[in-house]
Amino acid sequence: SINVDKRLRNKCAMTCVGDVIQNIFPDADFSRFTSHFSLKSAAFTLAEVLFTLGIIGIVSAMTVPTLMQNYQRQSYVTQLHKVYNEFQQAFIQEMTERNSLNLSEAGLGSVDNIDSFMKKRFKIVQDCGDTPTPCFADNYTSMSGAKSGGVADYVSSRLGYDKCYSLASGASVCISTIVTTREDILDGALWVDINGKKGPNIGGRDMSIMRYYSDGSIDVYGVTPECRNGSGACHSGYGTDATSIREGRFAPCQNSSVGDDCIGKLLNNNWEMTY
């Protein structure tokens, strides 16, 4: 018989098949318990680690600013959309409670009624009266950087406000009475800074101007209820439908320190700030 090492015999009891003679192998070369078949410990060199970190840094530098910018824009849109919806709901509730066909019948053509409406429908933390100070920032700039000025500097005979407030949500709002303006359009103005006096105080970002209409809807100037449903004429010179008017009226937005008509771009692009 062959003298089989006791240690080898024990290994064969676990790993070998058939006759022990068939499974004799040099212990030094084939034993899985020797260093010959041992796996080396995996490790990165310092150069590999530094190279990987460098690649990560480059990719981060290229993508993080864009991601942060997109996040901030979405934050602006979310807050503005919230204010937009709150006012639409408040307008409809006012007409319903007063059993009125439109906001003019509901009494929003009166400054006193505007004040009553705001204090009934919203939680007011500061009443700034007929001036934007101190509810709004003192100065706003356009997205292009070409223009700057305060809310009061932008008021004209066709686009003004009667009462200004700071809301519990953090937004500041100036609102005008609803009146018949040029081209027999019945509308009122809404000036909204979604975060009050906080920055960046840029028109089209945290600051916007909108129009509200007799049916309680909110849009840009000239997109009346009749224009949207196709039953009446739209604003002359800007198109024949709501979408085209918004695009035409959007032109001042980039150069407006208070975001005049930027709401039109948001409505046309399903509330995505692509500008």
Side-chain angles (χ1 to χ4, degrees), residues 193-218:
D193 186 326
I194 57 174
N195 55 7
K197 300 178 71 172
K198 297 179 181 179
N201 298 326
I202 297 176
R205 296 294 188 233
D206 57 338
M207 178 68 204
S208 299
I209 298 178
M210 299 170 278
R211 296 284 184 141
Y212 71 94
Y213 292 89
S214 58
D215 66 339
S217 60
I218 303 172

PDB file of all heavy atoms in Angstrom, residues 193-218:
ATOM      1  N   ASP A 193     -44.116  89.144  -5.476  1.00  0.00           N
ATOM      2  CA  ASP A 193     -42.752  88.728  -5.153  1.00  0.00           C
ATOM      3  C   ASP A 193     -42.902  87.509  -4.247  1.00  0.00           C
ATOM      4  O   ASP A 193     -43.389  87.630  -3.123  1.00  0.00           O
ATOM      5  CB  ASP A 193     -41.976  89.831  -4.442  1.00  0.00           C
ATOM      6  CG  ASP A 193     -40.506  89.461  -4.224  1.00  0.00           C
ATOM      7  OD1 ASP A 193     -40.227  88.272  -4.008  1.00  0.00           O
ATOM      8  OD2 ASP A 193     -39.648  90.368  -4.260  1.00  0.00           O
ATOM      9  N   ILE A 194     -42.520  86.353  -4.729  1.00  0.00           N
ATOM     10  CA  ILE A 194     -42.824  85.096  -4.036  1.00  0.00           C
ATOM     11  C   ILE A 194     -42.146  84.968  -2.681  1.00  0.00           C
ATOM     12  O   ILE A 194     -42.611  84.206  -1.827  1.00  0.00           O
ATOM     13  CB  ILE A 194     -42.452  83.884  -4.902  1.00  0.00           C
ATOM     14  CG1 ILE A 194     -40.967  83.938  -5.285  1.00  0.00           C
ATOM     15  CG2 ILE A 194     -43.347  83.811  -6.130  1.00  0.00           C
ATOM     16  CD1 ILE A 194     -40.487  82.707  -6.008  1.00  0.00           C
ATOM     17  N   ASN A 195     -41.042  85.697  -2.460  1.00  0.00           N
ATOM     18  CA  ASN A 195     -40.368  85.601  -1.161  1.00  0.00           C
ATOM     19  C   ASN A 195     -40.150  86.965  -0.509  1.00  0.00           C
ATOM     20  O   ASN A 195     -39.205  87.165   0.259  1.00  0.00           O
ATOM     21  CB  ASN A 195     -39.038  84.858  -1.292  1.00  0.00           C
ATOM     22  CG  ASN A 195     -38.124  85.474  -2.338  1.00  0.00           C
ATOM     23  OD1 ASN A 195     -38.431  86.541  -2.887  1.00  0.00           O
ATOM     24  ND2 ASN A 195     -37.020  84.829  -2.631  1.00  0.00           N
ATOM     25  N   GLY A 196     -41.019  87.898  -0.828  1.00  0.00           N
ATOM     26  CA  GLY A 196     -40.961  89.209  -0.197  1.00  0.00           C
ATOM     27  C   GLY A 196     -39.695  89.968  -0.537  1.00  0.00           C
ATOM     28  O   GLY A 196     -39.295  90.047  -1.694  1.00  0.00           O
ATOM     29  N   LYS A 197     -39.060  90.517   0.469  1.00  0.00           N
ATOM     30  CA  LYS A 197     -37.889  91.354   0.256  1.00  0.00           C
ATOM     31  C   LYS A 197     -36.603  90.544   0.039  1.00  0.00           C
ATOM     32  O   LYS A 197     -35.561  91.093  -0.298  1.00  0.00           O
ATOM     33  CB  LYS A 197     -37.704  92.302   1.449  1.00  0.00           C
ATOM     34  CG  LYS A 197     -38.892  93.229   1.679  1.00  0.00           C
ATOM     35  CD  LYS A 197     -38.704  94.107   2.891  1.00  0.00           C
ATOM     36  CE  LYS A 197     -37.639  95.164   2.642  1.00  0.00           C
ATOM     37  NZ  LYS A 197     -37.589  96.157   3.752  1.00  0.00           N
ATOM     38  N   LYS A 198     -36.678  89.241   0.234  1.00  0.00           N
ATOM     39  CA  LYS A 198     -35.495  88.394   0.071  1.00  0.00           C
ATOM     40  C   LYS A 198     -35.051  88.369  -1.400  1.00  0.00           C
ATOM     41  O   LYS A 198     -35.847  88.571  -2.299  1.00  0.00           O
ATOM     42  CB  LYS A 198     -35.781  86.971   0.551  1.00  0.00           C
ATOM     43  CG  LYS A 198     -36.100  86.871   2.039  1.00  0.00           C
ATOM     44  CD  LYS A 198     -36.392  85.438   2.431  1.00  0.00           C
ATOM     45  CE  LYS A 198     -36.737  85.317   3.896  1.00  0.00           C
ATOM     46  NZ  LYS A 198     -37.059  83.914   4.276  1.00  0.00           N
ATOM     47  N   GLY A 199     -33.779  88.065  -1.613  1.00  0.00           N
ATOM     48  CA  GLY A 199     -33.243  87.983  -2.966  1.00  0.00           C
ATOM     49  C   GLY A 199     -33.739  86.767  -3.719  1.00  0.00           C
ATOM     50  O   GLY A 199     -34.455  85.934  -3.172  1.00  0.00           O
ATOM     51  N   PRO A 200     -33.459  86.708  -5.018  1.00  0.00           N
ATOM     52  CA  PRO A 200     -32.494  87.566  -5.724  1.00  0.00           C
ATOM     53  C   PRO A 200     -33.076  88.890  -6.217  1.00  0.00           C
ATOM     54  O   PRO A 200     -32.357  89.703  -6.762  1.00  0.00           O
ATOM     55  CB  PRO A 200     -32.087  86.696  -6.913  1.00  0.00           C
ATOM     56  CG  PRO A 200     -33.322  85.907  -7.232  1.00  0.00           C
ATOM     57  CD  PRO A 200     -33.950  85.610  -5.901  1.00  0.00           C
ATOM     58  N   ASN A 201     -34.393  89.084  -6.082  1.00  0.00           N
ATOM     59  CA  ASN A 201     -35.057  90.317  -6.527  1.00  0.00           C
ATOM     60  C   ASN A 201     -34.790  90.594  -8.011  1.00  0.00           C
ATOM     61  O   ASN A 201     -34.299  91.655  -8.396  1.00  0.00           O
ATOM     62  CB  ASN A 201     -34.615  91.506  -5.667  1.00  0.00           C
ATOM     63  CG  ASN A 201     -34.999  91.318  -4.209  1.00  0.00           C
ATOM     64  OD1 ASN A 201     -36.032  90.732  -3.898  1.00  0.00           O
ATOM     65  ND2 ASN A 201     -34.158  91.799  -3.300  1.00  0.00           N
ATOM     66  N   ILE A 202     -35.125  89.596  -8.805  1.00  0.00           N
ATOM     67  CA  ILE A 202     -34.950  89.669 -10.258  1.00  0.00           C
ATOM     68  C   ILE A 202     -36.299  89.451 -10.936  1.00  0.00           C
ATOM     69  O   ILE A 202     -37.015  88.493 -10.623  1.00  0.00           O
ATOM     70  CB  ILE A 202     -33.945  88.607 -10.752  1.00  0.00           C
ATOM     71  CG1 ILE A 202     -32.556  88.870 -10.154  1.00  0.00           C
ATOM     72  CG2 ILE A 202     -33.866  88.597 -12.272  1.00  0.00           C
ATOM     73  CD1 ILE A 202     -31.522  87.815 -10.500  1.00  0.00           C
ATOM     74  N   GLY A 203     -36.630  90.328 -11.845  1.00  0.00           N
ATOM     75  CA  GLY A 203     -37.869  90.185 -12.599  1.00  0.00           C
ATOM     76  C   GLY A 203     -37.863  88.902 -13.417  1.00  0.00           C
ATOM     77  O   GLY A 203     -36.913  88.619 -14.127  1.00  0.00           O
ATOM     78  N   GLY A 204     -38.935  88.130 -13.300  1.00  0.00           N
ATOM     79  CA  GLY A 204     -39.016  86.862 -14.015  1.00  0.00           C
ATOM     80  C   GLY A 204     -38.503  85.690 -13.219  1.00  0.00           C
ATOM     81  O   GLY A 204     -38.666  84.540 -13.625  1.00  0.00           O
ATOM     82  N   ARG A 205     -37.889  85.968 -12.077  1.00  0.00           N
ATOM     83  CA  ARG A 205     -37.440  84.905 -11.181  1.00  0.00           C
ATOM     84  C   ARG A 205     -38.340  84.894  -9.940  1.00  0.00           C
ATOM     85  O   ARG A 205     -39.275  84.132  -9.862  1.00  0.00           O
ATOM     86  CB  ARG A 205     -35.965  85.106 -10.802  1.00  0.00           C
ATOM     87  CG  ARG A 205     -35.014  85.005 -12.006  1.00  0.00           C
ATOM     88  CD  ARG A 205     -34.994  83.619 -12.588  1.00  0.00           C
ATOM     89  NE  ARG A 205     -33.959  83.497 -13.607  1.00  0.00           N
ATOM     90  CZ  ARG A 205     -34.177  83.063 -14.837  1.00  0.00           C
ATOM     91  NH1 ARG A 205     -35.403  82.722 -15.201  1.00  0.00           N
ATOM     92  NH2 ARG A 205     -33.189  82.958 -15.706  1.00  0.00           N
ATOM     93  N   ASP A 206     -38.054  85.765  -8.986  1.00  0.00           N
ATOM     94  CA  ASP A 206     -38.918  85.819  -7.802  1.00  0.00           C
ATOM     95  C   ASP A 206     -39.947  86.937  -7.875  1.00  0.00           C
ATOM     96  O   ASP A 206     -40.802  87.051  -7.004  1.00  0.00           O
ATOM     97  CB  ASP A 206     -38.087  85.952  -6.527  1.00  0.00           C
ATOM     98  CG  ASP A 206     -37.175  87.175  -6.522  1.00  0.00           C
ATOM     99  OD1 ASP A 206     -36.851  87.689  -7.601  1.00  0.00           O
ATOM    100  OD2 ASP A 206     -36.762  87.605  -5.426  1.00  0.00           O
ATOM    101  N   MET A 207     -39.881  87.772  -8.919  1.00  0.00           N
ATOM    102  CA  MET A 207     -40.813  88.895  -9.073  1.00  0.00           C
ATOM    103  C   MET A 207     -41.561  88.793 -10.395  1.00  0.00           C
ATOM    104  O   MET A 207     -40.947  88.570 -11.443  1.00  0.00           O
ATOM    105  CB  MET A 207     -40.027  90.219  -9.012  1.00  0.00           C
ATOM    106  CG  MET A 207     -40.887  91.452  -9.218  1.00  0.00           C
ATOM    107  SD  MET A 207     -42.040  91.711  -7.846  1.00  0.00           S
ATOM    108  CE  MET A 207     -43.310  92.686  -8.637  1.00  0.00           C
ATOM    109  N   SER A 208     -42.884  88.930 -10.347  1.00  0.00           N
ATOM    110  CA  SER A 208     -43.703  88.808 -11.563  1.00  0.00           C
ATOM    111  C   SER A 208     -44.910  89.734 -11.512  1.00  0.00           C
ATOM    112  O   SER A 208     -45.423  90.046 -10.427  1.00  0.00           O
ATOM    113  CB  SER A 208     -44.206  87.367 -11.742  1.00  0.00           C
ATOM    114  OG  SER A 208     -43.138  86.457 -11.870  1.00  0.00           O
ATOM    115  N   ILE A 209     -45.362  90.154 -12.693  1.00  0.00           N
ATOM    116  CA  ILE A 209     -46.606  90.914 -12.839  1.00  0.00           C
ATOM    117  C   ILE A 209     -47.575  90.080 -13.657  1.00  0.00           C
ATOM    118  O   ILE A 209     -47.199  89.492 -14.678  1.00  0.00           O
ATOM    119  CB  ILE A 209     -46.386  92.261 -13.535  1.00  0.00           C
ATOM    120  CG1 ILE A 209     -45.444  93.140 -12.716  1.00  0.00           C
ATOM    121  CG2 ILE A 209     -47.712  92.986 -13.724  1.00  0.00           C
ATOM    122  CD1 ILE A 209     -45.146  94.466 -13.375  1.00  0.00           C
ATOM    123  N   MET A 210     -48.829  90.025 -13.204  1.00  0.00           N
ATOM    124  CA  MET A 210     -49.858  89.264 -13.903  1.00  0.00           C
ATOM    125  C   MET A 210     -51.123  90.111 -14.018  1.00  0.00           C
ATOM    126  O   MET A 210     -51.245  91.145 -13.370  1.00  0.00           O
ATOM    127  CB  MET A 210     -50.151  87.965 -13.151  1.00  0.00           C
ATOM    128  CG  MET A 210     -48.962  87.031 -13.021  1.00  0.00           C
ATOM    129  SD  MET A 210     -49.251  85.654 -11.879  1.00  0.00           S
ATOM    130  CE  MET A 210     -48.923  86.460 -10.307  1.00  0.00           C
ATOM    131  N   ARG A 211     -52.055  89.634 -14.820  1.00  0.00           N
ATOM    132  CA  ARG A 211     -53.383  90.261 -14.927  1.00  0.00           C
ATOM    133  C   ARG A 211     -54.446  89.263 -14.497  1.00  0.00           C
ATOM    134  O   ARG A 211     -54.351  88.071 -14.808  1.00  0.00           O
ATOM    135  CB  ARG A 211     -53.654  90.677 -16.380  1.00  0.00           C
ATOM    136  CG  ARG A 211     -52.699  91.749 -16.903  1.00  0.00           C
ATOM    137  CD  ARG A 211     -53.048  93.115 -16.351  1.00  0.00           C
ATOM    138  NE  ARG A 211     -52.207  94.156 -16.919  1.00  0.00           N
ATOM    139  CZ  ARG A 211     -52.603  95.358 -17.255  1.00  0.00           C
ATOM    140  NH1 ARG A 211     -53.873  95.703 -17.058  1.00  0.00           N
ATOM    141  NH2 ARG A 211     -51.777  96.247 -17.757  1.00  0.00           N
ATOM    142  N   TYR A 212     -55.435  89.754 -13.768  1.00  0.00           N
ATOM    143  CA  TYR A 212     -56.578  88.890 -13.465  1.00  0.00           C
ATOM    144  C   TYR A 212     -57.811  89.458 -14.157  1.00  0.00           C
ATOM    145  O   TYR A 212     -57.931  90.668 -14.341  1.00  0.00           O
ATOM    146  CB  TYR A 212     -56.787  88.748 -11.951  1.00  0.00           C
ATOM    147  CG  TYR A 212     -57.309  89.953 -11.219  1.00  0.00           C
ATOM    148  CD1 TYR A 212     -58.678  90.116 -10.993  1.00  0.00           C
ATOM    149  CD2 TYR A 212     -56.441  90.921 -10.706  1.00  0.00           C
ATOM    150  CE1 TYR A 212     -59.170  91.212 -10.293  1.00  0.00           C
ATOM    151  CE2 TYR A 212     -56.928  92.015 -10.004  1.00  0.00           C
ATOM    152  CZ  TYR A 212     -58.290  92.156  -9.802  1.00  0.00           C
ATOM    153  OH  TYR A 212     -58.775  93.242  -9.106  1.00  0.00           O
ATOM    154  N   TYR A 213     -58.695  88.545 -14.570  1.00  0.00           N
ATOM    155  CA  TYR A 213     -59.835  88.922 -15.408  1.00  0.00           C
ATOM    156  C   TYR A 213     -61.169  88.689 -14.702  1.00  0.00           C
ATOM    157  O   TYR A 213     -61.219  88.126 -13.605  1.00  0.00           O
ATOM    158  CB  TYR A 213     -59.773  88.150 -16.732  1.00  0.00           C
ATOM    159  CG  TYR A 213     -58.607  88.589 -17.583  1.00  0.00           C
ATOM    160  CD1 TYR A 213     -57.354  87.987 -17.451  1.00  0.00           C
ATOM    161  CD2 TYR A 213     -58.730  89.643 -18.479  1.00  0.00           C
ATOM    162  CE1 TYR A 213     -56.269  88.413 -18.207  1.00  0.00           C
ATOM    163  CE2 TYR A 213     -57.653  90.078 -19.243  1.00  0.00           C
ATOM    164  CZ  TYR A 213     -56.431  89.460 -19.083  1.00  0.00           C
ATOM    165  OH  TYR A 213     -55.360  89.902 -19.823  1.00  0.00           O
ATOM    166  N   SER A 214     -62.206  89.113 -15.358  1.00  0.00           N
ATOM    167  CA  SER A 214     -63.538  89.121 -14.757  1.00  0.00           C
ATOM    168  C   SER A 214     -64.024  87.741 -14.326  1.00  0.00           C
ATOM    169  O   SER A 214     -64.827  87.618 -13.403  1.00  0.00           O
ATOM    170  CB  SER A 214     -64.555  89.735 -15.727  1.00  0.00           C
ATOM    171  OG  SER A 214     -64.561  89.009 -16.944  1.00  0.00           O
ATOM    172  N   ASP A 215     -63.526  86.687 -14.992  1.00  0.00           N
ATOM    173  CA  ASP A 215     -63.966  85.331 -14.638  1.00  0.00           C
ATOM    174  C   ASP A 215     -63.108  84.719 -13.540  1.00  0.00           C
ATOM    175  O   ASP A 215     -63.297  83.558 -13.159  1.00  0.00           O
ATOM    176  CB  ASP A 215     -63.949  84.432 -15.872  1.00  0.00           C
ATOM    177  CG  ASP A 215     -62.548  84.196 -16.424  1.00  0.00           C
ATOM    178  OD1 ASP A 215     -61.641  85.012 -16.124  1.00  0.00           O
ATOM    179  OD2 ASP A 215     -62.358  83.216 -17.175  1.00  0.00           O
ATOM    180  N   GLY A 216     -62.126  85.476 -13.041  1.00  0.00           N
ATOM    181  CA  GLY A 216     -61.262  84.974 -11.975  1.00  0.00           C
ATOM    182  C   GLY A 216     -59.988  84.325 -12.479  1.00  0.00           C
ATOM    183  O   GLY A 216     -59.178  83.848 -11.684  1.00  0.00           O
ATOM    184  N   SER A 217     -59.791  84.303 -13.777  1.00  0.00           N
ATOM    185  CA  SER A 217     -58.584  83.710 -14.338  1.00  0.00           C
ATOM    186  C   SER A 217     -57.427  84.695 -14.276  1.00  0.00           C
ATOM    187  O   SER A 217     -57.627  85.904 -14.130  1.00  0.00           O
ATOM    188  CB  SER A 217     -58.820  83.285 -15.792  1.00  0.00           C
ATOM    189  OG  SER A 217     -59.178  84.413 -16.579  1.00  0.00           O
ATOM    190  N   ILE A 218     -56.197  84.175 -14.377  1.00  0.00           N
ATOM    191  CA  ILE A 218     -54.989  84.994 -14.320  1.00  0.00           C
ATOM    192  C   ILE A 218     -54.132  84.680 -15.537  1.00  0.00           C
ATOM    193  O   ILE A 218     -53.899  83.522 -15.867  1.00  0.00           O
ATOM    194  CB  ILE A 218     -54.195  84.720 -13.030  1.00  0.00           C
ATOM    195  CG1 ILE A 218     -55.070  84.975 -11.800  1.00  0.00           C
ATOM    196  CG2 ILE A 218     -52.939  85.573 -12.968  1.00  0.00           C
ATOM    197  CD1 ILE A 218     -54.424  84.555 -10.494  1.00  0.00           C
TER     198      ILE A 218
END
